[in-house]
Structure formats: structure tokens, C-alpha cells
Amino acid sequence: MRDGDFIRVETRRGYIVARSMVTDRVQPHTIFGTFHYWEACCNELTSAGPLDPEAGIPEYKISAAKVSKSSPAEAAAWHKKISDICKIDLQYVGTRSQAYA
């Protein structure tokens, strides 16, 4: 796999399809995924474990994962599936944003 390839990241809880970013900032045999973007909702792949007792935020997520190369077709199908699921929420967010403009 190379930088920019479509990849499939799969755990026992499900999978996501995203683009890879190859970097030396992450330890070997480790993957990092942001939870900020609905297109690649990596929190769906991890546990909903306990909150940190001090900060009240979710614990650092550690899950066994299988990473494989994906395709533009699978990425397009994934994006459609996720956008269909999130459609109501995204429309609501857009409506609220316009209401406050």
C-alpha cells in the first residue's frame, strides 16, 4: 500500500474505507485514524469502553485491525452508504447553520 491508496480497515466490530496516509509519525504496525470526519468513522471500529476518570473522555482506543488495499469502486460504495446513513443529520446541521447565519 502506498500513500493515497484506498484502504479497508476492519475489526471485529465492522469496517471503514478511507485513503491511506503513509508517515513515519506513527509507530510500525500501528494505524491511526481520526474520528472527526463522518466519511471514515473509525470510532465504529473501536470499543465504547470506559471513560477516563480524570478527563471524562473515552480511553485511548486499541483494537486489533486488518488493513487491506481497497478500490475506488468500494470507496465510492462506502461513501454512498455512509452519506445515506448520515443524510438526516447532515441536513439538520445545514439547517441549523443557516438558521444562525
Side-chain angles (χ1 to χ4, degrees):
M1 285 176 255
R2 291 183 268 177
D3 198 46
D5 283 350
F6 288 107
I7 59 170
R8 179 183 175 114
V9 181
E10 190 170 357
T11 71
R12 63 186 175 116
R13 293 175 182 85
Y15 75 95
I16 63 170
V17 177
R19 281 198 186 266
S20 66
M21 182 179 134
V22 178
T23 178
D24 60 0
R25 295 182 292 176
V26 177
Q27 295 293 318
H29 307 288
T30 303
I31 57 175
F32 174 83
T34 180
F35 56 89
H36 293 97
Y37 303 104
W38 61 271
E39 299 96 328
C41 42
C42 66
N43 271 345
E44 297 297 319
L45 304 179
T46 61
S47 68
L51 297 180
D52 179 275
E54 297 291 322
I57 59 174
E59 67 181 350
Y60 189 74
K61 309 263 195 248
I62 298 173
S63 297
K66 175 183 172 186
V67 179
S68 55
K69 194 166 181 180
S70 186
S71 67
E74 184 179 30
W78 169 256
H79 189 271
K80 174 154 180 29
K81 173 184 171 183
I82 294 302
S83 63
D84 288 348
I85 291 169
C86 297
K87 192 172 191 176
I88 294 171
D89 293 336
L90 293 174
Q91 288 176 346
Y92 173 75
V93 169
T95 303
R96 283 200 52 145
S97 299
Q98 292 169 0
Y100 291 105

